[in-house]
Amino acid sequence: MSMAKLFIPGPTDVSPEILRAQDQPMIGHRSQAFSDLFEHIQSRLRTVLQTDHRVYITASSGSGLQEAAVRNCVGDKLLLCASGAFGERWHAVALSNGAPTDLLATEWGQPLTPDQVEAAMSQADYDTLAVVHNETSTGVENPVGAIIERARGLNPDLVVLVDAVSSAGGVDIPIDEWEIDVLLTSSQKCFALPPGLAFAAVSDRALERAKGVERRGWYFDFILLEKYLLEKKSTPATPAVSLLYALDAQLDRMLAEGMPARYARHQAMAERVRSWADAKFGLYAAEGYRSKTVTTVRKPADFDFAGLTDFLAEHGMVIANGYGKIKGETFRIGHMGEIMPGDVDHLLETIDDFLAAK
Ligand SMILES: *Cc1c(COP(=O)(O)O)cnc(C)c1O
């Protein structure tokens, strides 16, 4: 199989050592060995995510927890804030689960602002707010801390749901300080794990809300997940044991790098890609709100993107096309997880070679 470096916003490369960590015998999820593994993971996962909240681990991708968050937490009415394709997807998820939902959508490429959220909140009594932290389609990082601060000023009991699928583990998100009630993410982006696990840091306030919500479903029921976490140090249904071995090992690697160093590395790679892309093509996301993990680059109408991806494939690298309705006008470079600054330099130099040969 060809090995190409993945400069895409997920799945991201997994280090060989972490792939190998999966190669261990199965254990039953009601065994002491499993409870020990699960507890060991739990404490370090809280450290990595900077939270004292419990973190549920599900055998699903992040979309499963988008569904879980709305099913468990929406009481009377949800305000779903979207600034791109993944926010719009979450809106579709909320509607298909029957959650009473209003959509606040901004122009693509622009961030959501506290003013917009305040104006929307004055229109109805919302008890739940949902927002995507890092919009992977447009490459915009929304000012989630400022949005929550403003929103809570209007309704202190608000339950706040944050999708940080493409930023948690690579970008500084102080969950407890920002008072995020549910922060959800996937294994295959900044955590640099194989796909198949998702994590939700859940506050007491979110859990209290869930208790009053009927038809939370079963597989992602927070109350059930809580019961099994507390009483059995396990999950209600069979967990993805091999992936948990990988997670256990990867948490050690992340903490060995150090989270501040990890955030700084992502920031430095983002700055490098941005300044290059700004000079060569132009950036899609508004200045001041650009993602630290994925850069959405403007693609000229006559640009030979297929030629570029073929050229990069010959050099063992993959970048991503645009996503959703901006597929034709953008492409994306992911710089997250295992990607190192030297890898970014190599990628950009190779693209420069392609441009020079044109
Ligand atoms: C990738 C992504 C998702 C979807 O996550 P899956 O793990 O593929 O289900 C949701 N939101 C954002 C912001 C993403 O980047």
Side-chain angles (χ1 to χ4, degrees):
M1 207 181 70
S2 76
M3 292 278 289
K5 216 169 236 318
L6 298 177
F7 294 89
I8 62 177
T12 59
D13 288 320
V14 181
S15 100
E17 163 193 349
I18 299 306
L19 288 172
R20 282 195 302 271
Q22 295 178 92
D23 186 4
Q24 297 180 60
M26 282 308 116
I27 49 176
H29 54 288
R30 302 287 175 250
S31 67
Q32 187 61 44
F34 183 85
S35 297
D36 292 347
L37 172 70
F38 209 56
E39 270 204 295
H40 191 233
I41 286 173
Q42 181 67 213
S43 61
R44 286 168 307 138
L45 195 49
R46 288 181 191 178
T47 305
V48 159
L49 288 173
Q50 320 184 56
T51 184
D52 292 332
H53 300 163
R54 81 273 298 147
V55 183
Y56 301 136
I57 303 174
T58 55
S60 73
S61 77
S63 304
L65 290 180
Q66 279 192 337
E67 187 152 299
V70 298
R71 284 203 78 124
N72 279 276
C73 296
V74 179
D76 295 329
K77 211 168 179 53
L78 166 68
L79 178 64
L80 197 138
C81 310
S83 64
F86 288 97
E88 289 176 9
R89 163 94 62 82
W90 204 0
H91 181 234
V93 167
L95 294 181
S96 65
N97 278 283
T101 307
D102 287 341
L103 176 67
L104 165 62
T106 58
E107 195 188 324
W108 283 37
Q110 297 300 317
L112 291 148
T113 65
D115 285 349
Q116 287 171 330
V117 172
E118 175 167 2
M121 280 184 66
S122 70
Q123 303 296 308
D125 277 337
Y126 296 105
D127 60 13
T128 317
L129 181 81
V131 58
V132 173
H133 176 248
N134 189 71
E135 180 46 76
T136 318
S137 58
T138 59
V140 167
E141 184 185 289
N142 284 306
V144 165
I147 287 171
I148 298 174
E149 193 177 5
R150 186 78 67 85
R152 258 198 214 298
L154 302 167
N155 176 3
D157 300 326
L158 197 67
V159 169
V160 178
L161 318 174
V162 175
D163 169 328
V165 173
S166 60
S167 48
V171 178
D172 186 13
I173 307 172
I175 296 178
D176 299 359
E177 189 187 315
W178 287 0
E179 297 189 40
I180 296 172
D181 293 301
V182 177
L183 177 129
L184 62 99
T185 194
S186 308
S187 55
Q188 80 279 10
K189 296 194 180 177
C190 297
F191 275 78
L193 284 162
L197 290 180
F199 315 126
V202 175
S203 73
D204 289 344
R205 177 168 32 217
L207 215 54
E208 276 309 307
R209 174 66 62 76
K211 283 180 189 156
V213 172
E214 284 176 46
R215 298 189 184 279
R216 298 183 298 269
W218 191 88
Y219 192 65
F220 295 113
D221 177 6
F222 286 172
I223 305 300
L224 198 60
L225 287 162
E226 178 72 8
K227 180 177 154 69
Y228 275 78
L229 180 61
L230 283 181
E231 293 175 10
K232 300 186 192 286
K233 316 280 179 241
S234 188
T235 51
T238 312
V241 175
S242 311
L243 291 171
L244 293 175
Y245 289 140
L247 171 60
D248 188 41
Q250 179 64 353
L251 290 170
D252 281 345
R253 282 182 87 247
M254 292 169 86
L255 291 168
E257 179 178 13
M259 295 313 290
R262 200 172 172 88
Y263 302 147
R265 172 165 63 85
H266 283 79
Q267 168 93 39
M269 295 192 298
E271 282 168 11
R272 172 85 176 90
V273 175
R274 270 178 221 157
S275 65
W276 172 89
D278 200 18
K280 305 275 154 111
F281 292 97
L283 294 164
Y284 188 78
E287 187 165 8
Y289 298 95
R290 289 172 181 152
S291 167
K292 299 178 184 77
T293 59
V294 57
T295 298
T296 301
V297 183
R298 289 190 187 276
K299 180 163 69 183
D302 58 351
F303 185 63
D304 180 15
F305 184 69
L308 173 61
T309 55
D310 287 349
F311 186 77
L312 289 174
E314 287 165 20
H315 291 80
M317 290 177 273
V318 185
I319 59 172
N321 209 342
Y323 192 95
K325 71 180 187 189
I326 53 170
K327 187 170 179 170
E329 45 180 309
T330 59
F331 65 89
R332 295 172 302 155
I333 297 176
H335 29 83
M336 63 176 91
E338 288 298 317
I339 298 291
M340 297 294 147
D343 301 325
V344 169
D345 289 340
H346 181 52
L347 171 73
L348 302 182
E349 282 157 17
T350 309
I351 302 179
D352 283 341
D353 289 345
F354 173 80
L355 297 174
K358 282 272 130 178

